Amino acid sequence: MIGIVLTGHGPFPNGMFESVQLIAGEINQVEIIPFEVDVTIFEQLVKKAIDKVETGAGVVCFTDLAGGTPFNVCSRIASGKDNIRVVAGTNLPMLLSGIFHRELILDAFIDKMIKDGKENIKEFKKIQQQTEEDVAGI
């Protein structure tokens, strides 16, 4: 099963994980690392979290912002390893999908998470009701 490290600025990862647990119930092999400390300490925490959730199928680090410190730190760590991936722009549909598809191989898992994350970004559009005057052309 693919291990998950969820990180981001401030309370982002904790809030995201609490929401996922509310929907999906108890979840194993996930570590939450909020970026609220010195970068050096944060990097050590991320490395420990990766080691803790890695069981042979790989690890995905879900982060909030591409280019932000959590993303950059995870990317530095992943650059030296073949079994670690980093995804930025994490949203709730993406993370929920990830929880339920961790049996996939790592590359297929990443493709699915990105696809599911993008496909669940929607805008509500109000449909204008036609009145009798609109239909009659008045």
Side-chain angles (χ1 to χ4, degrees):
M1 179 166 58
I2 292 171
I4 293 175
V5 174
L6 177 58
T7 187
H9 294 84
F12 172 83
N14 291 321
M16 184 72 69
F17 190 64
E18 287 174 16
S19 295
V20 168
Q21 282 187 307
L22 180 67
I23 297 166
E26 187 66 29
I27 303 164
N28 297 319
Q29 207 175 333
V30 176
E31 286 292 309
I32 312 306
I33 310 294
F35 176 51
E36 300 173 327
V37 294
D38 174 77
V39 175
T40 305
I41 295 169
F42 176 72
E43 186 165 351
Q44 292 169 358
L45 293 171
V46 171
K47 286 178 180 177
K48 286 179 186 174
I50 289 170
D51 289 343
K52 188 172 181 182
V53 299
E54 171 57 277
T55 59
V59 174
V60 177
C61 297
F62 286 95
T63 70
D64 53 0
L65 300 171
T69 300
F71 177 82
N72 293 340
V73 167
C74 291
S75 296
R76 258 195 319 272
I77 295 167
S79 68
K81 308 219 180 204
D82 292 332
N83 63 341
I84 299 174
R85 303 291 190 280
V86 181
V87 176
T90 302
N91 60 33
L92 191 56
M94 173 192 295
L95 195 54
L96 273 169
S97 180
I99 295 301
F100 295 114
H101 291 96
R102 295 197 284 169
E103 76 287 346
L104 295 171
I105 62 169
L106 199 52
D107 290 335
F109 179 86
I110 293 297
D111 291 344
K112 180 153 183 54
M113 294 315 92
I114 291 172
K115 179 180 176 252
D116 290 350
K118 286 179 181 179
E119 287 181 355
N120 280 282
I121 297 172
K122 309 279 185 205
E123 175 189 6
F124 167 76
K125 290 192 177 189
K126 188 173 169 183
I127 299 173
Q128 185 178 10
Q129 289 186 314
Q130 288 185 331
T131 65
E132 287 182 33
E133 290 92 20
D134 292 335
V135 175
I138 301 175

